[in-house]
Amino acid sequence: MEKQPSVLTSLLLVKSRLFEVTLNRTLLTWKEVHLRRKKVSGNISNRLRFGVHSVPVSEIIAVRETEVDKGTKAEGKWQKMTHITIETHLCAFTVSYVEKTGQHRWRSSNMTFFCSDETVCQQWVRTLKEQLSLLTCRPKHLLVYINPYGGKQQGKQIYEHKVAQLFTLASISTDVIVTEHANHARDHLKTQADLRKYDGIVCVGGDGMFSEVVHGLIARTQSDSGVDLNDSQAKLAQCNLRIGIIPAGSTDCICYATVGVNDPVTSALHIIVGDSQPMDVCSVHHHNTFLKYSVSLLGYGFYGDVLTDSEKNRWMGPARYDFSGFKTFLSHHYYEGTISFLPATNTLGSPRDSSRCRSGCYVCQHRVKDISPIKWGEGGDVSENEFEGEWKAIKGKFLAINAASMSCACPRSPKGLSPAAHLADGTTDIILVRKCSRLNFLRHLLRHTSKDDQFDLTFVEVYRVKKFKFTPKHCDSELSDIRDVRENAFGQICRDHPSCDCTPVNSNWNCDGEILEHAAIEVGVHCQLIKLFARGIEENPPFEEDVSPSAV
Ligand SMILES: *[C@@H]1O[C@H](CO)[C@@H](O)[C@H](O)[C@H]1NC(C)=O
Ligand SMILES: *[C@@H]1O[C@H](CO)[C@@H](O)[C@H](O)[C@H]1NC(C)=O
């Protein structure tokens, strides 16, 4: 890297030690210096270390002049060390910056620099502030939604005790709304919020809260641009406001997948420094009616049934997921239907890659440009196939059909459902698990396969796609209430349950943790529709120890 010309260099005192402090366009560096001493006692020389610290200017949170008590010890030390008599009085400035403490965790740290002279001090503060003002990606006004009921009901405390003072320190102003009911944030964003006032939206809560904000923001953006939400072929307008997630829920998978850790302070600092991580969003339609957006997992069969069952057992608390998971595993239901999809042709990655989507991901940044862009809803005179390639259809009996738009890694499942999925490459990974033995299904769930390729099982198929459709064996057109259709052992529709022991014909789709009301759905991936205040998971964060077991 070329050495940058320095903007400012001074000798300053830090904790009574002398440092050469240098600011260039990208880095603030402080390096301990030794002045020649007449007597060097072993005691002193042991204490002096050559420490060099540097902080990217982009990770400085704030700078301010600091009050110094007259006649402090520091003043005496300064004179002793430099043999310079201070003419005016000693003054100081403090830099608050991001410190990376390992495992993707960030903290704010303060460093106070003492100057011998007020002009030097003011020059430093002014110059640093100027450099910070050039960072136009940083938000100044934020709209904050706090879900006080999510997770351990700590949303308000987390925001007030860990986040608010950091925003204040960074001179970010906020309008805070504590939500009072489900969909409060979504509806407020959709219709009321004056979004022109803000540089971003922050949600304090879990994945459910994030989903509300995503739904509100996308709906608002589309209505402002005159896009019909019910049109499954419409090209959606990109949302320019970034979303920050302060994790405070019972599941915080989106935060984990985009920051690498569920930690409110880390997330607040990513917001302050103005990080930006684009993200794909799937739109889900039933015929020509909009149902939902999904950013992580659409699951039919196993994951749909686990969610359906756990909703019945809410009284159990978080344990219901394990309980329902076990119950669903034992029931071993399979479901018939046809999945058709449009394979992704414009991405460099594949679901069976060993590489992972990480900060500054090459695959997300280098999507092969569509030779002719996808004509979402433009109705050009060239047929869909010529633009998009061939649709493929697979009919069968499935234990699970999953569409993962991201790895879906979380602390409980660190590899995730589709470890090589990308956050922003415009695709989703369809994982089909065909009818198989319980033992085999267990092998899939535990993903006990070769280290790099967890899809190496004969009854599992995986496809990276841009769009897909699912048609269950029995569709709404035939039967009035498809959610509760059962059939007997002879494959005949049964209308007499629950007295019979017939099995349900259809499962439900689990869409990012919510049950969809239709089994027949059409899904399209909208590439980089939204942006988060995040930078993706950093591959080798500085100062992080390599603790991955594969390194052994
Ligand atoms: C840094 O200084 C600010 C402002 O004085 C203070 O609010 C904050 O708590 C300090 N942070 C640390 C880590 O000491
Ligand atoms: C979409 O369609 C549904 C049902 O057909 C209708 O109730 C809803 O108002 C429509 N939404 C929009 C935005 O047009």
Side-chain angles (χ1 to χ4, degrees), residues 64 66 94-97 99 107-111 165-166 169:
R64 64 200 170 278
T66 317
T94 300
V95 177
S96 302
Y97 61 95
E99 190 182 4
R107 283 288 165 265
S108 86
S109 224
N110 290 333
M111 187 57 77
Q165 75 243 35
L166 286 172
L169 182 62

Side-chain angles (χ1 to χ4, degrees), residues 197-209:
K197 279 168 40 189
Y198 305 107
D199 307 308
I201 301 166
V202 173
C203 59
V204 184
D207 289 336
M209 190 62 180

Side-chain angles (χ1 to χ4, degrees), residues 360-367 369 424 528:
C361 176
Y362 187 83
V363 172
C364 293
Q365 285 177 4
H366 296 82
R367 284 166 302 117
K369 285 274 178 300
Q528 307 194 353

Side-chain angles (χ1 to χ4, degrees), residues 286-287 472 474-482 506 517-520:
H286 169 72
H287 298 142
H474 294 288
C475 273
D476 320 43
S477 48
E478 299 169 41
L479 301 148
S480 53
D481 186 8
I482 55 110
N506 289 340
E517 60 208 277
H518 295 280

